[in-house]
């Protein structure tokens, strides 16, 4: 049988607002399949987002959802998790929302290792507000605010998360659709702060300014640059030039924030 | 054994005509009919589900038994 996505979508919400060929819908399907495979109770699952194209995702999901201020998804989600530590908390946002405007919240959520999953849909640009460059825009790429090419180097979001202390970091692409649900499911199961970066396409504001003739070209580009971690071990540094690693990039076990905080409460109540 | 064919359902109201399903179908089952995707050659379908997986608009359902 075909997979029943409708079960997890608020009735009457489709078609969604994303542009033709935007990969956000592919990632949303991956998230739905992950929630379904883990049999998460939608009444006990909170999906939190900030502002942006990617942040529209929770609005379609028939779960507990929170659409918050720009970049502040991690802050609101931390509040949700602290109030209800038993809840599954999933954050969804774009590269601009997560690493520029919400950059501070993002790194500190990583550092705290609070048990949440952050799905970053990296389309390398601010799509909704008109194609301004984001911290993930590659050097030389054109955006509405860098018409002569972006002079800044881009963030490697996965490395940023590892450096800031996230205990599970994975990366996938919108082209490799079948892998997305597996990465997200593994991230949700991980006890601690997990980050899943999905490389995405934005044909409307990134593609047409950067010589991608079509959505298909953008998808093929994602296919070409992605190298699975295991395959990369056998490749030389020259062969890996311009490529990005996909799969589970980092995993460690470290005390989780809500359980550590519960211990603080215990100590305070005992007066020690 | 006789090959059983799936039913490919395309919800035209949801399809935005991005061409992803048509381009990435390994056996070229689908085609664009005007603005939306349509089934051209169901006989060739190998039920790989790539069109359903990759459709960003929730517009394709491949119904197998």
């Amino acid at each position: 049988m075909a997979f029943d996505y409708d079960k997890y979508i608020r009735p009457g919400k489709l078609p969604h607002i994303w542009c033709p060929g935007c990969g956000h819908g592919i990632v949303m399907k991956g998230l739905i399949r992950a929630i379904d495979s883990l049999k998460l109770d939608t009444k006990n699952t909170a999906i939190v987002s900030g502002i942006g194209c990617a942040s529209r995702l929770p609005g379609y999901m028939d779960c507990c959802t929170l659409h918050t201020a720009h970049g502040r998804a991690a802050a609101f989600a931390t509040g949700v998790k602290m109030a209800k530590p038993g809840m599954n908390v999933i954050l969804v946002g774009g590269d601009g929302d997560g690493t520029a405007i919400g950059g501070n919240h993002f790194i500190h959520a990583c550092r705290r290792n609070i048990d949440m999953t952050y799905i970053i849909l990296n389309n390398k640009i601010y799509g909704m507000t008109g194609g301004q460059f984001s911290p993930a825009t590659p050097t030389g790429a054109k955006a509405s605010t860098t018409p002569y090419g972006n002079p800044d180097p881009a963030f490697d979001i996965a490395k940023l998360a590892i450096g800031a202390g996230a205990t599970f970091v994975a990366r996938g692409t919108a082209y490799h659709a079948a892998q997305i649900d597996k990465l997200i499911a593994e991230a949700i199961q991980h006890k601690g702060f997990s980050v899943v970066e999905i490389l995405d396409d934005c044909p409307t504001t990134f593609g047409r300014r950067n010589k991608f003739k079509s959505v298909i070209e953008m998808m093929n580009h994602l296919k070409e640059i992605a190298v699975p971690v295991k395959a990369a071990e056998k490749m030389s540094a020259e062969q890996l030039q311009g490529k990005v690693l996909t799969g589970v990039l980092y995993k460690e076990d470290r005390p989780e924030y809500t359980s550590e905080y519960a211990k603080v409460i215990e100590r305070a109540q005992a007066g020690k | 054994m006789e090959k059983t064919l799936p039913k490919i359902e395309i919800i035209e109201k949801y399809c935005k005509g991005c061409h992803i399903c048509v381009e990435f179908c390994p056996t070229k089952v689908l085609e664009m009919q005007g603005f939306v995707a349509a089934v051209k050659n169901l006989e060739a379908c190998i039920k790989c589900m790539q069109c359903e997986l990759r459709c960003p608009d929730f517009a394709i359902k491949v119904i197998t038994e």
Side-chain angles (χ1 to χ4, degrees):
Chain A
M1 275 309 289
F3 188 90
D4 185 16
Y5 292 99
D6 298 340
K7 194 159 76 161
Y8 294 92
I9 297 174
R10 290 194 171 125
K13 284 283 182 182
L14 291 179
H16 54 58
I17 55 137
W18 297 313
C19 301
C22 169
H24 289 2
I26 302 175
V27 183
M28 180 170 153
K29 282 175 134 175
L31 173 61
I32 292 175
R33 290 196 303 277
I35 290 175
D36 187 76
S37 71
L38 297 175
K39 297 190 172 52
L40 298 187
D41 178 8
T42 52
K43 290 193 176 69
N44 193 38
T45 303
I47 307 183
V48 187
S49 71
I51 297 292
C53 293
S55 297
R56 291 292 294 257
L57 194 152
Y60 303 109
M61 298 286 294
D62 202 1
C63 296
C64 304
T65 61
L66 199 56
H67 192 188
T68 73
H70 208 344
R72 271 58 181 163
F76 282 84
T78 301
V80 173
K81 188 71 186 179
M82 291 305 288
K84 284 183 165 286
M87 203 163 202
N88 308 304
V89 180
I90 301 164
L91 294 85
V92 182
D95 48 306
D97 183 61
T99 61
I101 293 171
N104 228 332
H105 295 293
F106 174 65
I107 57 171
H108 291 290
C110 290
R111 178 173 65 91
R112 274 186 172 148
N113 194 32
I114 185 160
D115 186 21
M116 310 191 290
T117 299
Y118 200 157
I119 303 166
I120 298 191
L121 289 83
N122 180 2
N123 57 7
K124 306 178 190 74
I125 204 143
Y126 281 96
M128 187 175 273
T129 50
Q132 293 85 354
F133 72 102
S134 84
T137 305
T139 312
K142 287 180 182 168
S144 64
T145 42
T146 56
Y148 301 102
N150 177 26
D152 301 345
F155 259 148
D156 182 327
I157 296 175
K159 275 188 188 164
L160 173 70
I162 297 169
T167 49
F168 180 96
V169 179
R171 191 194 276 128
T173 82
Y175 174 82
H176 301 90
Q179 191 192 23
I180 298 172
D181 49 313
K182 293 175 185 74
L183 293 176
I184 296 176
E186 205 178 333
I188 293 173
Q189 280 177 306
H190 177 77
K191 185 90 179 148
F193 195 79
S194 47
V195 176
V196 183
E197 179 193 5
I198 308 287
L199 298 176
D200 215 335
D201 62 326
C202 179
T204 307
T205 63
F206 189 86
R208 70 188 167 94
R209 285 196 180 91
N210 290 285
K211 291 182 182 164
F212 286 103
K213 288 197 188 85
S214 66
V215 171
I216 309 306
E217 238 178 70
M218 296 195 85
M219 281 285 166
N220 279 328
H221 175 69
L222 291 176
K223 179 185 173 185
E224 281 158 25
I225 60 167
V227 178
V229 198
K230 280 205 178 121
E233 283 168 9
K234 293 172 198 149
M235 288 165 74
S236 67
E238 279 159 23
Q239 285 173 312
L240 287 170
Q241 197 72 33
K243 305 275 184 192
V244 283
L245 302 187
T246 58
V248 179
L249 307 177
Y250 185 76
K251 199 175 176 179
E252 71 158 305
D253 284 320
R254 197 151 59 78
E256 192 271 328
Y257 188 72
T258 52
S259 50
E260 289 302 298
Y261 199 83
K263 286 180 197 164
V264 173
I265 294 172
E266 243 175 62
R267 283 202 297 274
Q269 285 175 344
K272 286 175 195 169
Chain B
M1 210 176 91
E2 207 177 313
K3 189 182 163 192
T4 55
L5 292 174
K7 188 171 174 275
I8 301 179
E9 196 184 304
I10 295 169
I11 307 166
E12 293 190 6
K13 202 178 123 192
Y14 293 173
C15 179
K16 291 180 187 150
C18 70
H19 290 241
I20 287 179
C21 57
V22 175
E23 289 293 329
F24 293 116
C25 172
T27 52
K28 304 290 165 216
V29 172
L30 302 156
E31 65 171 354
M32 294 304 292
Q33 272 181 13
F35 188 70
V36 295
V39 179
K40 175 180 68 177
N41 182 16
L42 189 64
E43 293 286 314
C45 182
I46 53 168
K47 296 179 245 180
C48 69
M49 318 297 269
Q50 293 297 316
C51 54
E52 188 187 291
L53 269 175
R54 288 214 180 89
C55 172
D57 297 302
F58 298 80
I60 300 184
K61 281 179 184 161
V62 181
I63 301 157
T64 54
E65 300 208 357

